Structures are given as structure tokens and as C-alpha cells.
Amino acid sequence: MSLTPEEEKQLKELLNNPLDFYRRSFPGFEFSSGHETLGHGNAEFCLTTDSGQIIHFYEQGNCKIGSNSSVEIYGAAKKGAEKDVGILIHADNGYVHIKAPKGDLVLEGKSVLIKANDGKGAVTIQSAHIVQFEAPNVTTNTDNHQVNATLTSQTIAGSVTSVGEISSSSTNGVDALVNDSLVGKIIHIMEKVKLFFKSICAPV
């Protein structure tokens, strides 16, 4: 019976540290502890199935849960009121990253709140194609509101009301350029007319 390099390494660790290393195999899975891992330091507790599915804890503080298909977590299925926390994901330090590179990401609930607590924090929604809001009522409350569209901006409604407490204006960039040019031409013509009448009315 030949051992793999990894098994030889674990055997050496067992011989050198017999009280720190533990490994026990069962049909379909195994428990292990106290051995060095490839990327997460020393193992504290590892449950590994024959198909490579894992629940691992490492001494440096990491935890990994891996499955070959899906992971489902259920909380407060039978007990607890609506105000109670059913599932909590909390990171005292670092950030929380939820990613589905090959599928949809769905947030669904009775109500959904997205909140940035930092005084300089930001909420950013980006899309390579469409950002769409659908609701009977949409309200935006802000100190400053700006809409930038490099191509087209449209507002379509049964009625449109625009109110400015200090001032309210609506301009067309193209018309403004044309109007400025037209006004300049008119002023230039008037100046020429004034000069003409001054020349014919001047004393000989």
C-alpha cells in the first residue's frame, strides 16, 4: 500500500505531534484536526466527504463550507415572530461579498431595505444593460438631484409638474446655441444700420 504525498505529510505530522493531530475515517467522510492545510494554515476541525464537500475551521479564524451543488440555510422555520432575526450574516471587520457569476441574484422579502450607514457611504447600482424600477409610487427625497443622459432623456406621464421654489428653468442646448448666434447677428446688423445713418446724416 503506497501513500500519497499528502498522506505521507500527514503521517509525519502525526508521528512528530501525536497529541496534536487527529484523523478518523468513516464510510463516506472523515474527521481531521491539527494538520497543516495548503492555503489556510493549521486545521482546527475538518469534516470532509469522499466527494470533496467540506465544513472546515482553521486556527487563523477562517471557516469554509463547500458543496458540489447548492447550499441551503433555513432559520426560524417554526418558531419566532416577524420581528425576530431568522438568519444573520455579520462581519465585524472586512466586507461581505455575495456573488453569482453564472446565475441571478435575488433579494426577496416582505420589505427590502438597502442602507449605507457611513457618513460618506454610497449606494451604487450598476448594470451593463438596464436598471428598471417598477412600483405604483416612486418617491425620491434628496438635497440635490441630478440626472445625466449622454444620449436621450425622456419624461412621459399623464401630467407633468415642475416646481422650483427659487427658480425653475428648461433649456434646449441646441436652441440656446442657435439663439445666441441669431441675437449676435441681429446686434451686428443694427450696429451697421446705425453707422450707415450716421454717415448719411453727418454734415458735409
Side-chain angles (χ1 to χ4, degrees):
M1 178 181 177
S2 60
L3 298 177
T4 64
E6 182 63 26
E7 290 174 336
E8 289 181 358
K9 181 179 179 181
Q10 292 180 357
L11 180 58
K12 290 180 181 179
E13 292 176 351
L14 175 61
L15 295 175
N16 293 330
N17 303 286
L19 298 178
D20 297 332
F21 178 82
Y22 175 83
R23 180 179 182 183
R24 187 169 182 181
S25 297
F26 298 89
F29 69 97
E30 72 171 27
F31 291 115
S32 62
S33 178
H35 57 88
E36 189 72 18
T37 63
L38 294 177
H40 301 283
N42 201 43
E44 198 169 53
F45 170 81
C46 292
L47 169 63
T48 307
T49 68
D50 291 347
S51 62
Q53 303 185 99
I54 63 169
I55 299 176
H56 287 184
F57 292 91
Y58 309 99
E59 287 185 356
Q60 64 183 20
N62 298 61
C63 172
K64 291 180 70 174
I65 300 176
S67 70
N68 295 329
S69 180
S70 64
V71 176
E72 298 184 20
I73 301 174
Y74 294 90
K78 295 182 179 180
K79 296 182 179 181
E82 291 184 0
K83 63 180 181 179
D84 295 333
V85 175
I87 296 174
L88 173 65
I89 300 174
H90 182 91
D92 286 326
N93 296 292
Y95 60 90
V96 177
H97 187 181
I98 301 174
K99 186 176 183 179
K102 295 184 180 180
D104 295 336
L105 180 61
V106 179
L107 301 177
E108 181 179 352
K110 184 177 179 180
S111 295
V112 177
L113 172 65
I114 300 175
K115 186 177 181 180
N117 290 323
D118 191 275
K120 295 182 180 180
V123 176
T124 303
I125 300 176
Q126 294 182 338
S127 173
H129 185 45
I130 294 175
V131 175
Q132 184 170 318
F133 298 94
E134 292 185 8
N137 299 283
V138 177
T139 302
T140 302
N141 297 318
T142 179
D143 292 334
N144 299 285
H145 185 216
Q146 181 174 332
V147 178
N148 297 323
T150 56
L151 294 178
T152 303
S153 178
Q154 294 180 340
T155 301
I156 302 173
S159 63
V160 178
T161 303
S162 178
V163 178
E165 183 177 352
I166 298 175
S167 65
S168 179
S169 63
S170 176
T171 61
N172 184 301
V174 176
D175 291 345
L177 291 175
V178 172
N179 290 337
D180 290 344
S181 177
L182 182 60
V183 170
K185 289 180 180 178
I186 293 174
I187 293 175
H188 184 64
I189 292 173
M190 291 179 64
E191 289 177 350
K192 282 188 174 182
V193 171
K194 287 180 181 180
L195 291 174
F196 173 75
F197 279 106
K198 282 183 179 180
S199 64
I200 63 175
C201 297
V204 179

